[in-house]
């Protein structure tokens, strides 16, 4: 089965082909340079950029792979959650393609696609726990199967990636600063007592990072004069050692907070022995090391995508499309686009498997 994936939920326009579960190729246009001028994603600009690049990228993918439109078996597209105007560009493109070519359409939950992305590299085992840490979400799931995800916990305020980006921006690191903050941390020595591990005195699996953010901002204001390093700060070499140490302490506070909640989730599901780590923040070096050590200690397995598949991409959408498509899932052309904050409808339709080949 040749499955096309389309991603446009935030600031990355991307197309990919997954054939029989394997990534054939992917193309991606990042809008980071556009939005970094404003310190965050500007929704109106994001939609316009998606519109500018969608057809060009699709043509490029066809040319690179030598595939023709009539060879595609399923058009899968991120339908949400995300920025409505951005999602609409990808969904309208997918619907136009499906309508014009007669290829079945399938709307994909962007969050579920993140969680399934590791399956492109390794065989996932279900049921397992899932940790999705991105710019918009910090969620823990009981992943029953590729089509069944029970949410167990979420952030009550900022998402992990949002906190990384906000603190990075406070330090003069351009948006999205999580990656460079992580890199700086690798050259620093963490002080485990510098910052709090927030919202742990409870027995739930939710997160709240706002207290950590406030504590980190106060720490920066007290410890660093404004002219202590060049702003914007773009490379590790320009940063003084104290800044690298602070980044290491901040990184440690976020990662240890997440780690406590993940251990708690395993206590609630003692028969489960594997964890999927996903989302942009899953590229974080310390988080990857910490989760790997945790799973080793538990004698379980950690599934995580290679770093390039952690941030938004279309390969994960095409792969989720492939997994659901082989089960016969599809949507009609009236499929809704689902912005952030709106409940995802349970409206997937299924055709009888044997009729798929002749449909
Ligand atoms: O999943 P993603 O590409 O987009 C959303 O759906 O939100 O995640 C982007 C987020 C940004 O906040 C970015 O700073 C963060 O992932 N990020 C990182 C790292 N790489 C990306 N945060 C911490 N450490 C990293 N290495
Ligand atoms: Zn994402």
């Amino acid at each position: 089965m040749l499955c096309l994936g389309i991603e446009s939920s935030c600031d990355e326009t991307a197309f990919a082909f997954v054939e029989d579960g394997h990534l054939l190729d992917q193309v991606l246009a990042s809008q980071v340079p556009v939005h970094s001028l404003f310190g965050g994603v500007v929704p109106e600009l994001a939609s316009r950029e998606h519109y500018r690049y969608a057809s060009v990228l699709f043509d490029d993918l066809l040319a690179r792979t030598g595939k023709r439109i009539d060879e595609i078996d399923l058009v899968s597209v991120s339908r949400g959650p995300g920025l409505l105007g951005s999602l609409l560009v990808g969904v309208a493109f997918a619907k136009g393609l499906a309508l014009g070519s007669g290829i079945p359409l399938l709307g994909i939950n962007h969050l579920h696609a993140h969680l399934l992305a590791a399956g492109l590299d390794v065989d996932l085992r279900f049921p397992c726990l899932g940790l999705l840490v991105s710019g918009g979400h910090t969620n823990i799931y009981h992943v029953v199967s590729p089509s069944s995800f029970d949410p167990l916990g979420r952030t009550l305020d900022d998402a992990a990636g949002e906190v990384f980006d906000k603190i990075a921006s406070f330090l003069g690191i351009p948006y999205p600063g999580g990656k460079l903050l992580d890199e700086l941390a690798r050259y620093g020595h963490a002080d485990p007592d510098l910052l709090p591990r927030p919202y742990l005195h409870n027995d739930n699996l939710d997160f709240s990072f706002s207290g950590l953010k406030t504590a980190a901002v106060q720490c920066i204001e007290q410890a660093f004069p404004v002219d202590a390093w060049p702003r914007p700060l773009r490379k590790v070499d320009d940063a003084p050692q104290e800044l690298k140490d602070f980044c290491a302490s901040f990184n440690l506070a976020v990662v240890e907070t997440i780690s406590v909640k993940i251990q708690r989730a395993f206590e609630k599901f003692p028969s489960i022995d594997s964890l999927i780590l996903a989302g942009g923040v899953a590229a974080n070096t310390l988080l990857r090391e910490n989760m790997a050590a945790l799973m080793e200690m538990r004698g379980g397995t950690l599934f995580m995508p290679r770093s390039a598949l952690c941030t938004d991409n279309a390969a994960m959408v095409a792969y989720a499309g492939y997994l659901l498509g082989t089960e016969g899932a599809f949507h009609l052309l009236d499929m809704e686009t689902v912005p952030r904050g709106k409940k995802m409808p349970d409206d997937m339709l299924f055709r009888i498997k044997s009729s798929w080949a002749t449909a």
Side-chain angles (χ1 to χ4, degrees), residues 34-94:
V34 176
H35 301 293
S36 67
L37 296 171
F38 302 92
V41 177
V42 182
E44 174 66 24
L45 289 181
S47 320
R48 291 187 200 189
E49 292 293 297
H50 288 307
Y51 187 70
R52 211 147 70 93
Y53 284 106
S55 311
V56 183
L57 286 173
F58 180 51
D59 288 347
D60 190 27
L61 182 69
L62 291 175
R64 285 165 63 121
T65 56
K67 294 288 182 190
R68 298 183 315 271
I69 290 178
D70 63 10
E71 290 178 284
I72 302 172
D73 295 301
L74 182 68
V75 176
S76 56
V77 58
S78 264
R79 68 182 297 199
L83 299 171
L84 184 59
S86 289
L87 287 163
L88 281 170
V89 177
V91 170
F93 190 99

Side-chain angles (χ1 to χ4, degrees), residues 7 9-10 12 78 81 110-111 114 132-137 279-280 310-313 316:
E7 166 60 39
S9 65
C10 189
E12 250 96 38
S78 264
H110 173 86
L111 307 181
H114 267 301
L132 173 65
V133 268
S134 70
H137 297 86
C310 287
T311 44
D312 286 348
N313 65 84
M316 66 184 194

Side-chain angles (χ1 to χ4, degrees), residues 117-173:
L120 280 165
D121 293 328
V122 289
D123 287 333
L124 300 177
R125 269 199 322 269
F126 302 97
C128 59
L129 293 182
L131 169 64
L132 173 65
V133 268
S134 70
H137 297 86
T138 310
N139 296 355
I140 301 179
Y141 295 88
H142 176 209
V143 187
V144 183
S145 74
S147 56
S148 176
F149 297 75
D150 292 337
L152 303 174
R154 66 194 167 91
T155 180
L156 304 177
D157 39 56
D158 290 5
E162 212 174 338
V163 186
F164 269 109
D165 293 343
K166 282 180 181 162
I167 294 306
S169 147
F170 215 77
L171 292 168
I173 301 171

